[in-house]
Amino acid sequence: MIPANATAKWDAIVVGSGIGGLVCAGYLAASGRRVLVLEQHDVAGGNSHVFRRRRAYEFDVGVHYLGDCGPGGLLPSILGGLGLADRVRFHPMDPDGFDRIVLPSVTVDVPTGWARYGDRLRRALPDEADGITRYVDICSAVAETCRESTRSAPGGKLPAVMVRWSRRTLAHLFDHCGLSPRARTVLAAQSGNYGSAPGQTLVVAHTMMIDDYLRGAYYPEGGGQMVAAALVELLESHGGALRTKTRVRRIRIDGDRVAGVELSDGAMIDAPIVVSNADYRRTVLELCGGAENLPAPVVDRAEGARMRLPTAVCYVALDTELPERPNANIWYWATEDVDRAYERLEAGSLEPEFAFLSFASVKDPVAGSACPPGHTNFQIMTACPPGYAPWGLREGPASGGKYRREPAYRAAKDRLTERMLDLAEAAIGPFRDHIVHRETSTPLTQERYTLSTGGTAYGLRSWGRVGQRPDVHTGVSGLFLAGQNIHHAGGIVGVATSGAACASAILGRSLLPEVCGGAVFGNPDLLPARTEDWDPLRVSRGLDRRDARGLARLDLAGRTT
């Protein structure tokens, strides 16, 4: 095992240990490169991270469900290409309705498959059957083209449907199909998965999200940290290293090529390749020094870039089980006008009109991992307005701003929490009397832990034009990009794809077609054995800090295993 010290010789450094960075690092390490991953937080995984409370409850920060994780699915193929096929198992949600969309006048259970989805929509909205058919036909054709391009070598002529719709927004598609505000709301009800309004979302981005889930919705057995931990095991067993609680101050650029990084303590680490899995705007404007090292057009576009909306999540534990329910999420909308709901958010309202409910204790088949028997663990998520003003603040924690004890922030957070609980009770009935743990993360929380611009988990909304995003290349020799801001990205599956695409650019080969065809780059025989007390959160701290103090654990005594 190579020690994670500044004097070691590294072929590549990855800044940030989100899933995109870990996948890229994994493929580089599996291909013989010596890779160092640097993470400012105390655990790897980015938005796949979990946290624990009261030695009884484990909450997923961002992995609420994953699409297309059945046999031959994209994420299993990416993990399988690293030799991790047996390390992460995915449990299917209800194929007859993995998402329940609830509006005041209509409820739709979203099933797997485009044909079944279209039939379900037409039954729920019979007066708009023709428009829905047009919508489904266009989206399914776009989805098929996107999927083929991901799994095949670059090149080839785009189909007419992609030429027409690749740069148009979801709002344009709704207009083309002649859909009412109610139908638009049903079709965009799951937009909380990417955090932008129909008028600010490309048809391609919306369709890829829907298509992933229509191929099957899944939850990783044991929670989201299982994915990150498996990638850390791969990295370390193949000669790489993860160093957590290590913040990068700058990416060093010498002329037109990258030279390595400088850490916040002043230490210099050399490498001919650096991959930034960090926030794109911070990468350009802060880590790379902006105009000091990069061309003016690149800096201008980064300064003008706009982010997708941030989110808040209320983590709830109950001392009782909810009435028996299907293994499905709920998207609850108190309005039937999706455009108005997003307009209010963009204008600064902390009174959201929709909420997403995710039931971890229903999804995870690993008994007792989410909460004790007889209890319930679920999350309530909603979108938040951009900027710091709605929270009574002028700056965020990434810039050193203090916020957690500010009276205006606390009042706004409490008000939003009560609103989220109201929406959740409207969706599933009263539960407040059974709450034994409750805490809310806001966009400021997200910014504190991930340093994302504006605290968004979803990356760039626009980069020059609506929906446009940068590629993995930067124009600086040896400097590459991965993560939520790249055009491949969208959720955990998307960032994993971005990591594979970034490694492809560095290695000079198209990895995705190869791994989707069954190629395996990692050596499973090198992976460490897992003992009975194996803990994915402990593994994700990195070898140097694996046994450091402060690791939260679950008291599993008496729980069914």
Side-chain angles (χ1 to χ4, degrees):
M1 200 74 67
I2 297 173
N5 57 60
T7 60
K9 300 289 186 180
W10 302 106
D11 297 316
I13 296 171
V14 178
V15 181
S17 68
I19 296 300
L22 288 177
V23 166
C24 179
Y27 273 102
L28 295 180
S31 300
R33 306 293 179 94
R34 297 158 60 90
V35 187
L36 173 64
V37 178
L38 302 173
E39 169 58 49
Q40 61 99 25
H41 189 26
D42 64 357
V43 65
N47 283 308
S48 71
H49 171 51
V50 303
F51 66 93
R52 295 161 178 168
R53 293 292 184 262
R54 305 188 182 202
R55 299 183 66 86
Y57 306 103
E58 182 172 277
F59 297 103
D60 263 295
V61 170
V63 179
H64 301 117
Y65 62 150
L66 302 170
D68 191 23
C69 288
L74 188 53
L75 184 56
S77 295
I78 291 172
L79 295 175
L82 290 169
L84 298 173
D86 296 329
R87 293 260 157 165
V88 184
R89 293 184 294 272
F90 299 97
H91 185 67
M93 296 175 64
D94 191 337
D96 195 49
F98 57 85
D99 272 347
R100 173 166 290 177
I101 296 168
V102 181
L103 275 62
S105 67
V106 64
T107 296
V108 179
D109 288 326
V110 180
T112 56
W114 280 101
R116 297 176 70 210
Y117 178 50
D119 290 342
R120 197 72 58 89
L121 291 170
R122 284 185 286 268
R123 286 202 299 271
L125 302 164
D127 293 341
E128 306 200 54
D130 290 344
I132 287 170
T133 297
R134 285 195 295 273
Y135 165 85
V136 170
D137 287 347
I138 291 169
C139 286
S140 60
V142 169
E144 186 61 31
T145 300
C146 290
R147 183 161 294 276
E148 289 177 1
S149 67
T150 298
R151 293 168 177 264
S152 60
K157 185 178 179 181
L158 284 176
V161 68
M162 284 297 290
V163 172
R164 181 171 186 180
W165 291 105
S166 63
R167 295 186 178 182
R168 296 193 180 187
T169 68
L170 185 58
H172 287 134
L173 178 57
F174 288 162
D175 290 343
H176 172 77
C177 296
L179 297 170
S180 69
R182 183 173 73 150
R184 292 170 183 241
T185 305
V186 169
L187 297 175
Q190 297 143 292
S191 56
N193 280 324
Y194 49 71
S196 56
Q200 299 290 343
T201 305
L202 291 184
V203 170
V204 171
H206 173 79
T207 297
M208 289 177 69
M209 180 274 293
I210 294 291
D211 182 62
D212 269 353
Y213 290 119
L214 292 182
R215 292 175 180 272
Y218 296 79
Y219 186 79
E221 294 185 11
Q225 197 71 49
M226 298 291 290
V227 180
L231 290 167
V232 171
E233 288 180 320
L234 180 283
L235 172 72
E236 293 178 341
S237 66
H238 285 67
L242 163 69
R243 191 192 305 176
T244 54
K245 296 197 75 172
T246 304
R247 185 164 178 172
V248 172
R249 176 184 294 164
R250 68 184 177 101
I251 295 172
R252 294 158 46 219
I253 297 175
D254 184 5
D256 62 351
R257 68 170 299 107
V258 76
V261 300
E262 178 186 356
L263 305 183
S264 58
D265 63 4
M268 302 286 187
I269 308 178
D270 297 335
I273 293 172
V274 174
V275 175
S276 179
N277 186 220
D279 177 87
Y280 175 75
R281 293 184 83 250
R282 294 194 193 283
T283 296
V284 172
L285 303 177
E286 297 175 17
L287 294 179
C288 290
E292 179 181 348
N293 292 306
L294 299 175
V298 173
V299 176
D300 290 344
R301 291 185 78 180
E303 289 178 336
R306 294 293 176 264
M307 312 304 292
R308 290 179 175 176
L309 290 175
T311 58
V313 183
C314 183
Y315 302 91
V316 180
L318 308 179
D319 62 4
T320 186
E321 292 183 346
L322 291 172
E324 188 172 350
R325 54 170 298 102
N327 188 355
N329 308 305
I330 296 176
W331 291 94
Y332 177 79
W333 285 76
T335 178
E336 298 196 344
D337 190 339
V338 62
D339 296 307
R340 175 180 175 274
Y342 276 105
E343 286 171 3
R344 293 184 70 242
L345 285 170
E346 292 283 359
S349 173
L350 278 173
E351 293 287 326
E353 297 186 70
F354 72 90
F356 169 74
L357 280 66
S358 170
F359 304 90
S361 50
V362 175
K363 294 175 184 176
D364 196 344
V366 179
S369 64
C371 60
H375 289 221
T376 297
N377 170 333
F378 72 101
Q379 288 84 59
I380 311 163
M381 184 179 76
T382 193
C384 294
Y388 303 120
W391 306 98
L393 303 170
R394 292 185 178 180
E395 63 177 355
S399 303
K402 305 297 182 182
Y403 70 96
R404 285 183 288 176
R405 297 184 180 180
E406 291 296 321
Y409 170 77
R410 293 171 67 93
K413 179 179 176 179
D414 289 345
R415 187 167 67 252
L416 176 62
T417 297
E418 290 303 313
R419 174 62 175 170
M420 294 167 73
L421 293 171
D422 287 343
L423 290 169
E425 289 194 321
I428 63 174
F431 58 78
R432 273 181 167 94
D433 290 346
H434 291 281
I435 294 176
V436 291
H437 183 82
R438 183 194 77 189
E439 65 181 287
T440 299
S441 70
T442 70
L444 281 297
T445 316
Q446 175 79 18
E447 181 178 318
R448 175 186 167 203
Y449 285 109
T450 69
L451 304 180
S452 64
T453 297
T456 180
Y458 297 128
L460 294 171
R461 185 184 76 187
S462 61
W463 182 68
R465 63 173 182 266
V466 171
Q468 187 176 19
R469 290 179 166 205
D471 196 354
V472 298
H473 299 277
T474 65
V476 175
S477 180
L479 178 61
F480 298 85
L481 304 171
Q484 197 65 265
N485 293 279
I486 309 309
H487 78 259
H488 307 83
I492 297 295
V493 178
V495 295
T497 305
S498 83
C502 186
S504 295
I506 295 169
L507 297 172
R509 61 191 302 176
S510 296
L511 294 174
L512 282 171
E514 292 189 58
V515 300
C516 288
V520 178
F521 292 82
N523 184 353
D525 293 336
L526 297 178
L527 295 171
R530 291 179 175 179
T531 60
E532 288 187 4
D533 62 348
W534 183 85
D535 184 347
L537 201 58
R538 177 175 174 268
V539 169
S540 300
R541 302 174 96 193
L543 186 61
D544 287 356
R545 297 192 58 257
R546 196 145 291 158
D547 295 314
R549 298 179 61 184
L551 176 66
R553 297 185 183 273
L554 293 175
D555 183 1
L556 299 177
R559 297 193 188 185
T560 302
T561 57

